[in-house]
Amino acid sequence: MSSPELLETDDAGTDASTDTPTDASAETTSGAGAAASEASDAAADVDDAAAANPGACPVVDSIEQIGSRWRLVVLHELQNGEVRFNELKRSTDANARTLSRVLEDLQETGFVERRLEEDAPVATYYSLTPKGESLCPVFDAIEGWADEWLAACQE
């Protein structure tokens, strides 16, 4: 069994691999202070890394905006064009709560735009903004790298 420090979690305090609450998210409000302390420690680590290597700062900032597992999955799925919420939910295998939160985050940071079609039935569509589309070459490069290096690891 992995320790809480090693458990990969998403931004909502759920196990990113199973979407189940982690021990930290199930704690009482007294545990919320510990979670806030851990978050400030993580932010301090990022600040320390940026101070130690100012050239890495744009990389660190970029990873903070797009680096969560679910954000990357959603951005990758939206490369093929506008998608309805339920289609995106099926294709990403994310639960509705996680997907809603991630889409809101991506809208706030300017990577995704939302379009509401109020005809019967009401439909919500999501697509990449020009800022989001600018990540497509990055995903292509990562896929090329994975094809070369991860395939060798599986042999």
Side-chain angles (χ1 to χ4, degrees), residues 1 7 18 34 40 57 63 80 83 101 106 108 112 126 129 141:
M1 182 168 191
L7 186 66
T18 63
S40 73
C57 189
I63 296 301
N80 298 324
V83 179
R101 182 187 43 78
L106 290 171
E108 287 176 14
V112 171
Y126 294 90
T129 62

Side-chain angles (χ1 to χ4, degrees), residues 9-15 20-29 31-32 35 97:
T9 60
D10 64 11
D11 297 334
T14 58
D15 180 337
T20 56
T22 61
D23 294 338
S25 66
E27 292 177 357
T28 62
T29 50
R97 181 176 165 220

Side-chain angles (χ1 to χ4, degrees), residues 142-155:
I142 292 171
E143 285 179 30
W145 178 86
D147 289 343
E148 181 178 346
W149 292 99
L150 297 183
C153 293
Q154 294 175 355
E155 293 175 356

Side-chain angles (χ1 to χ4, degrees), residues 57-76:
C57 189
V59 174
V60 171
D61 291 343
S62 299
I63 296 301
E64 284 182 358
Q65 283 194 16
I66 63 170
S68 82
R69 172 186 173 205
W70 289 112
R71 287 180 190 165
L72 290 169
V73 168
V74 168
L75 288 167
H76 187 263

Side-chain angles (χ1 to χ4, degrees), residues 17 40 55 59 76 78 80 92-93 98-99 155:
S17 62
S40 73
V59 174
H76 187 263
L78 289 174
N80 298 324
T92 62
D93 222 13
T98 298
L99 184 57
E155 293 175 356

